[in-house]
Amino acid sequence: MAPVKNGRLVFSEIPTGLPEPGKTTVYDESQTIDLESVPLSGGILVKTLVLSIDPYLRGRMRDANIESYAPPFIIGEPLDNYGVGLVLRSEHASFKAGDHVYGTHPFQRYFVAPPADAEKLTVLKNEEGLPWSVYVGVCGMPGQTAHHAWREYSQAKPGETVFITTGAGPVGATVIQIAKQQGLKVIASAGSEEKVAFIKSLGADVAFNYKTERTRDVLARAGPIDIFWDNVGGETLEAAIDASSVGARFIECGAISAYNGEEPYYVKNLMLIMGKQLKISGFIVMWLHEKHLAHFYETFPRLVKEGKINYTEDATRGLERAGHAIVDVQTGRNTGKSVVIVSEE
Amino acid sequence: MAPVKNGRLVFSEIPTGLPEPGKTTVYDESQTIDLESVPLSGGILVKTLVLSIDPYLRGRMRDANIESYAPPFIIGEPLDNYGVGLVLRSEHASFKAGDHVYGTHPFQRYFVAPPADAEKLTVLKNEEGLPWSVYVGVCGMPGQTAHHAWREYSQAKPGETVFITTGAGPVGATVIQIAKQQGLKVIASAGSEEKVAFIKSLGADVAFNYKTERTRDVLARAGPIDIFWDNVGGETLEAAIDASSVGARFIECGAISAYNGEEPYYVKNLMLIMGKQLKISGFIVMWLHEKHLAHFYETFPRLVKEGKINYTEDATRGLERAGHAIVDVQTGRNTGKSVVIVSEE
């Protein structure tokens, strides 16, 4: 069989504000791969099916000298992120051709994972027969984020009130549904009327558009809050501190408001952390896997199959469009979990 | 017996910056009391022996319309705070003449506590024969603050590193000793060479004067830190976030840097709460009593008696000097736990 084109999305330049497709990221088809003869050296050959597009990818588009929790992308190399792939060939005992794997995938149509990288991939059983894209969404990292951190930090009790930001995002939407199932009152925000309607459909008791209504005003009316799920930071965090009850738990999941180089907003009421006995917990989902991942895979795919956890997906077809999907997520133009369908099986 | 003068320190005016003795607080001897005949109405007559002077008193000198965790002082009325008193007469079954009581005392030489107030006071056994002033210091609220919050939030493991601010204060000094007994490396700061020497004498591994050395530089050298005991807030909190290890615990105990009306410093690196998986807990000591107070009284007086927990005291003699003691605590001029000796027994 002749070599085929092996398209990839390359990190080309560090952006100052929003990433720009064609500049920050460049789609490149100059490389080819011979799927039958490429040497595996004990590893596996994977065809990328689905890639996840997440807010935190912006943070990886930085100067490689700046430390942060996720490694920087390397100029001239393809981006990488959570994805689902199909094993085409295997020289590794843990995998066989036809397996579907979940884990870090380069933004590249085909790739060889050497043994050490292959061993970090999980073989998906998918006994529920869910679409593979679900495994980078509600059954992947965003769902895990919601599930793990809620279990670890929320200390939720029925009748309490939770405020969830970016409620229409894949994490926020999942948290809303978990909270409602546990009998909490849910206040949730999003950035468009369409998203607010989606949040309401998930069962949020109070849903609002933070672009047309002030978070502070809504919380004054619908609060106080016992739990704050923070995907935003900045001024919203300040409003949540002011509106929190004594002993409230703050789950610090993201700060998308500060990702794209605008002058950040500095929180001015941190002194209330004491007076209100707040408990503020930050986390990266990977660090919670050991304690919560087994429970997640035991419960979440089934809940999704049974329609007890719902989700929406915003699928972009074609790796060459992935750069645009990244920008859409940064500006909130996506509706539902953003995924890139690289290949059908 | 003829009535005696019943001196008191009255809250006279809300300060804008530091409180001013004679203006913010006024010592008044116009009232008298007949110790033999004053009606008790089922309560107790108490002679105030010791009053505690604490940083948080400044926060109570505010407009009564502003809510905060501790109630505001009332203009024209005496201040109040933790104290130890001697029961002179009792009409309440829980108290008898000669008992020593701990709890809220007005800044007044003698007072009648009606039954509801009396019932909030604790009779001190003091089997160890410690000076009564110790019961507003290392065996009172400051010691309880150190003890309760360390047990509740520190998750300390031997070999970890803790950074303790205001290490020469009664809370910080106690935390230093607890941490050393549990096998931690202790970094501690204070605002004078004399205080730094005291901190070293308590066993701190790294002690520094934050007025002559930058906290940020010391932490870069002696960190990273696993636990931060924060009595300061602001720029120091920001430096601690930068110097913390993944999974560090922040115990938010005070923010004295923001008490006296200067333009506060706004923390600029809150995003690291996520990336470093920080756990930030604020508290008011009263809320931790239910879980930790019994253990405190079982252990602390004995540890103090045995010299395993040491303390220093800065005693001011005479209620008429209490206003000056308050200012000294706000400006850090006290050396050791500030107490006012109102009366000998």
Side-chain angles (χ1 to χ4, degrees):
Chain A
M1 203 166 130
V4 294
K5 280 188 188 172
N6 194 8
R8 52 189 201 141
L9 190 75
V10 170
F11 182 47
S12 177
E13 197 182 295
I14 296 165
T16 48
L18 282 173
E20 285 182 53
K23 199 165 168 236
T24 307
T25 56
V26 173
Y27 183 68
D28 165 54
E29 279 197 333
S30 62
Q31 296 190 350
T32 60
I33 185 168
D34 188 319
L35 300 175
E36 284 178 359
S37 66
V38 61
L40 303 188
S41 311
I44 59 177
L45 173 65
V46 180
K47 178 182 184 182
T48 303
L49 302 182
V50 183
L51 289 167
S52 179
I53 306 297
D54 300 294
Y56 86 104
L57 294 182
R58 174 64 184 84
R60 300 186 58 189
M61 298 177 173
R62 65 178 188 269
D63 185 319
N65 295 314
I66 301 170
E67 276 196 58
S68 184
Y69 60 92
F73 291 131
I74 296 162
I75 300 277
E77 295 292 319
L79 280 65
D80 62 76
N81 195 19
Y82 299 98
V84 175
L86 173 67
V87 177
L88 298 182
R89 287 166 49 209
S90 171
E91 291 179 358
H92 192 293
S94 303
F95 305 90
K96 60 180 191 302
D99 279 351
H100 288 80
V101 289
Y102 171 72
T104 300
H105 284 57
F107 278 49
Q108 187 166 306
R109 297 181 68 83
Y110 303 96
F111 66 100
V112 173
D117 288 354
E119 283 154 18
K120 288 179 193 150
L121 298 170
T122 307
V123 176
L124 296 171
K125 294 188 210 152
N126 195 13
E127 287 161 355
E128 293 80 8
L130 299 170
W132 294 111
S133 60
V134 168
Y135 283 91
V136 300
V138 69
C139 288
M141 189 271 279
Q144 289 159 9
T145 300
H147 168 267
H148 294 6
W150 188 263
R151 283 189 102 206
E152 180 72 21
Y153 303 117
S154 76
Q155 300 170 29
K157 288 178 278 297
E160 285 192 327
T161 298
V162 57
F163 171 42
I164 300 162
T165 53
T166 61
V171 177
T174 308
V175 177
I176 290 173
Q177 296 175 79
I178 296 173
K180 283 312 299 176
Q181 284 173 13
Q182 296 188 4
L184 280 81
K185 172 178 167 182
V186 171
I187 308 168
S189 62
S192 74
E193 295 309 316
E194 186 188 355
K195 289 179 180 179
V196 168
F198 171 58
I199 286 176
K200 280 190 186 150
S201 79
L202 296 175
D205 300 277
V206 178
F208 70 98
N209 180 346
Y210 68 84
K211 291 178 180 163
T212 58
E213 256 191 302
R214 287 180 71 209
T215 297
R216 181 171 289 282
D217 297 340
V218 175
L219 295 183
R221 198 171 66 228
I225 61 174
D226 305 297
I227 303 171
F228 176 43
W229 187 283
D230 187 7
N231 274 317
V232 178
E235 197 168 358
T236 308
L237 172 56
E238 184 177 285
I241 291 175
D242 277 332
S244 68
S245 61
V246 167
R249 287 79 68 197
F250 280 48
I251 304 175
E252 295 299 313
C253 180
I256 200 167
S257 68
Y259 284 172
N260 288 296
E262 309 106 39
E263 174 67 11
Y265 183 93
Y266 299 127
V267 175
K268 298 184 177 52
N269 56 358
L270 291 181
M271 256 191 83
L272 293 177
I273 292 173
M274 281 157 277
K276 294 192 166 192
Q277 200 170 22
L278 303 183
K279 211 169 243 171
I280 301 178
S281 302
F283 71 101
I284 301 296
V285 65
M286 287 93 81
W287 293 327
L288 299 176
H289 280 336
E290 193 181 332
K291 197 162 160 192
H292 300 288
L293 191 62
H295 182 269
F296 176 82
Y297 278 124
E298 280 161 24
T299 55
F300 250 59
R302 188 166 41 77
L303 289 168
V304 171
K305 180 70 180 178
E306 292 170 354
K308 290 180 184 158
I309 297 277
N310 293 293
Y311 67 97
T312 56
E313 192 174 273
D314 190 332
T316 300
R317 275 166 209 284
L319 183 55
E320 65 281 6
R321 301 279 312 157
H324 297 86
I326 289 171
V327 179
D328 285 349
V329 164
Q330 291 297 319
T331 55
R333 276 199 299 267
N334 59 311
T335 55
K337 168 63 189 136
S338 176
V339 300
V340 172
I341 308 296
V342 179
S343 292
E344 305 292 341
E345 290 209 40
Chain B
M1 202 166 127
V4 294
K5 279 188 187 170
N6 194 8
R8 52 191 200 139
L9 190 74
V10 170
F11 182 47
S12 175
E13 196 182 295
I14 296 166
T16 49
L18 283 173
E20 285 181 53
K23 197 165 168 237
T24 308
T25 55
V26 173
Y27 184 67
D28 165 54
E29 279 198 332
S30 63
Q31 296 190 350
T32 60
I33 185 168
D34 187 320
L35 300 175
E36 284 178 0
S37 67
V38 60
L40 303 188
S41 312
I44 59 178
L45 172 65
V46 180
K47 179 182 184 180
T48 303
L49 301 182
V50 183
L51 289 167
S52 178
I53 306 297
D54 301 295
Y56 87 104
L57 294 183
R58 175 62 185 84
R60 299 186 60 190
M61 298 176 174
R62 65 179 188 267
D63 186 319
N65 294 314
I66 302 170
E67 277 196 57
S68 184
Y69 60 92
F73 291 131
I74 297 162
I75 301 277
E77 295 290 319
L79 281 66
D80 63 75
N81 196 20
Y82 300 97
V84 175
L86 173 67
V87 177
L88 297 182
R89 287 167 48 210
S90 172
E91 291 179 358
H92 193 292
S94 303
F95 305 89
K96 60 180 190 303
D99 280 351
H100 288 80
V101 289
Y102 171 72
T104 300
H105 284 56
F107 278 49
Q108 186 166 307
R109 297 181 68 82
Y110 302 96
F111 66 100
V112 173
D117 289 354
E119 284 154 19
K120 290 181 192 149
L121 298 169
T122 307
V123 176
L124 296 171
K125 293 187 210 151
N126 195 14
E127 287 161 354
E128 293 79 8
L130 300 170
W132 293 111
S133 60
V134 168
Y135 283 91
V136 299
V138 70
C139 289
M141 189 270 279
Q144 289 159 8
T145 299
H147 168 268
H148 293 6
W150 187 264
R151 283 188 101 205
E152 180 72 21
Y153 303 117
S154 76
Q155 299 169 30
K157 289 178 279 297
E160 286 193 326
T161 299
V162 58
F163 171 41
I164 299 161
T165 53
T166 61
V171 176
T174 308
V175 177
I176 290 173
Q177 296 175 79
I178 296 173
K180 282 313 298 174
Q181 284 173 13
Q182 296 188 4
L184 281 82
K185 172 178 168 182
V186 171
I187 308 168
S189 62
S192 75
E193 295 309 317
E194 186 188 354
K195 289 179 179 178
V196 167
F198 172 58
I199 286 176
K200 281 189 185 150
S201 79
L202 295 175
D205 301 277
V206 178
F208 69 99
N209 180 346
Y210 69 85
K211 290 179 182 165
T212 59
E213 257 192 301
R214 287 181 70 208
T215 297
R216 180 170 290 280
D217 297 340
V218 175
L219 295 183
R221 199 171 65 230
I225 61 174
D226 305 296
I227 303 171
F228 176 43
W229 186 284
D230 188 9
N231 274 317
V232 177
E235 198 167 358
T236 308
L237 172 57
E238 184 177 284
I241 290 175
D242 277 332
S244 69
S245 62
V246 166
R249 287 79 67 196
F250 279 48
I251 303 175
E252 295 299 313
C253 180
I256 201 167
S257 68
Y259 284 172
N260 288 297
E262 310 106 41
E263 174 67 10
Y265 183 92
Y266 299 127
V267 175
K268 299 184 176 52
N269 56 356
L270 291 181
M271 257 190 82
L272 293 177
I273 292 174
M274 281 157 278
K276 293 191 165 192
Q277 200 171 23
L278 303 184
K279 211 169 241 171
I280 302 177
S281 302
F283 72 100
I284 301 295
V285 65
M286 287 93 80
W287 293 326
L288 299 177
H289 280 336
E290 193 181 331
K291 197 161 160 193
H292 300 288
L293 191 62
H295 182 269
F296 176 82
Y297 278 124
E298 280 161 24
T299 55
F300 250 59
R302 190 167 39 77
L303 289 169
V304 171
K305 181 69 182 178
E306 292 170 355
K308 289 180 183 159
I309 297 277
N310 293 293
Y311 67 97
T312 56
E313 192 173 273
D314 190 333
T316 300
R317 274 164 211 282
L319 183 56
E320 67 281 5
R321 301 278 312 156
H324 296 86
I326 289 171
V327 179
D328 285 349
V329 165
Q330 291 297 318
T331 54
R333 275 199 301 266
N334 59 309
T335 55
K337 167 64 188 137
S338 175
V339 300
V340 172
I341 308 296
V342 179
S343 291
E344 305 291 341
E345 291 209 38

